[in-house]
Amino acid sequence: MHLKLNLIAAACENMGIGMNGDLPWRLKSEMAYFSRMTTMTKDPAKKNIVLMGRRTWECIPKKYRPLQGRINVVLSSQSLNLGDDAIVCKSIPHVIEMVSQYPLKDKVEKIWVIGGSSVYKASMDSPNFYRLYLTRIKKHFECDTFFPPIPNNFTLVHDAEVPTDTQEENGIEFEYQIYEKK
Ligand SMILES: NC(=O)c1ccc[n+]([C@@H]2O[C@H](COP(=O)([O-])OP(=O)(O)OC[C@H]3O[C@@H](n4cnc5c(N)ncnc54)[C@H](OP(=O)(O)O)[C@@H]3O)[C@@H](O)[C@H]2O)c1
């Protein structure tokens, strides 16, 4: 079983993804897109994993944590105990190994990598990388966290689940893009 990593991120013109432990923008429809993409499964008996770095986990407001309807997995070098809320893993290969074994093997449909920076970078470098779902927000925001450079051998593709036209909310335009490795 070859497990694929799907990345999902939103970045502004200067490739920023975060500011002061939060998103630099409020885009409800983009948030709804994130929830829909990471939650939906073809097999109703299965769930998707949302894989994130420890800081991204801490940045999710407590009332929304764990992200519902999904198996939350947090990457950390520390021995954290997040109880029933999330599984803690030490590395991406550790996550792949865990998901390829019982009991998760038959319960997981997709792995969605949801940030932040170093987790996106490690996932794009991984042999298990499959796709990057990147929302391009067509505005400049002040940020302290950035999406890593997209490798030159990534190419744009289409996905029937994803709108191709330019979106707009609160006067901010954005576009959903999907990249695969050539
Ligand atoms: N716009 C977007 O799409 C988006 C998405 C996600 C997050 N964000 C924003 O980004 C910011 C948070 O992201 P961040 O880049 O600062 O932090 P992050 O990547 O979420 O977390 C970093 C931490 O994760 C752990 N980690 C990362 N890679 C690891 C690996 N390969 N193996 C083991 N542990 C690993 C380490 O935890 P330990 O220190 O515990 O070892 C590391 O300190 C926030 O502002 C958030 O709002 C934006």
Side-chain angles (χ1 to χ4, degrees):
M1 178 176 170
H2 185 74
L3 284 159
K4 295 171 174 174
L5 298 174
N6 294 276
L7 280 60
I8 188 160
C12 58
E13 272 175 2
N14 42 321
M15 291 311 275
I17 61 166
M19 180 66 176
N20 296 328
D22 201 355
L23 295 178
W25 46 78
R26 279 283 162 267
L27 294 170
K28 274 178 96 176
S29 58
E30 207 284 325
M31 214 43 140
Y33 168 77
F34 167 85
S35 295
R36 178 170 69 83
M37 294 300 286
T38 56
T39 307
M40 71 178 171
T41 54
K42 290 200 174 82
D43 180 345
K46 292 187 178 181
K47 282 186 179 172
N48 296 327
I49 281 182
V50 277
L51 171 61
M52 70 200 93
R54 195 246 319 149
R55 281 206 289 271
T56 294
W57 168 261
E58 288 170 354
C59 290
I60 302 171
K62 278 194 178 141
K63 61 177 175 176
Y64 298 121
R65 230 162 64 185
L67 295 177
Q68 58 173 290
R70 292 150 282 185
I71 300 165
N72 289 234
V73 179
V74 175
L75 279 181
S76 176
S77 59
Q78 307 171 51
S79 302
L80 302 178
N81 183 355
L82 300 175
D84 292 337
D85 286 347
I87 301 168
V88 181
C89 281
K90 297 254 180 247
S91 66
I92 289 173
H94 178 199
V95 176
I96 303 283
E97 192 192 321
M98 178 185 72
V99 181
S100 58
Q101 290 171 9
Y102 179 85
L104 285 183
K105 189 173 176 283
D106 303 318
K107 291 185 183 164
V108 171
E109 190 162 295
K110 277 188 179 176
I111 303 176
W112 285 99
V113 176
I114 65 163
S117 286
S118 56
V119 186
Y120 286 137
K121 168 84 172 80
S123 303
M124 289 197 292
D125 291 342
S126 162
N128 297 77
F129 170 83
Y130 176 50
R131 276 183 170 177
L132 162 63
Y133 288 74
L134 182 63
T135 303
R136 297 275 195 178
I137 297 169
K138 299 176 174 186
K139 196 178 165 179
H140 190 291
F141 286 87
E142 193 191 347
C143 293
D144 58 18
T145 312
F146 295 85
F147 195 85
I150 299 172
N152 288 333
N153 61 346
F154 280 23
T155 184
L156 286 170
V157 296
H158 289 289
D159 178 332
E161 300 290 345
V162 177
T164 51
D165 51 330
T166 301
Q167 313 289 307
E168 208 215 292
E169 195 178 324
N170 304 334
I172 300 171
E173 289 192 338
F174 55 100
E175 227 174 77
Y176 299 121
Q177 291 190 338
I178 307 139
Y179 290 88
E180 270 184 19
K181 205 182 265 187
K182 255 187 234 165

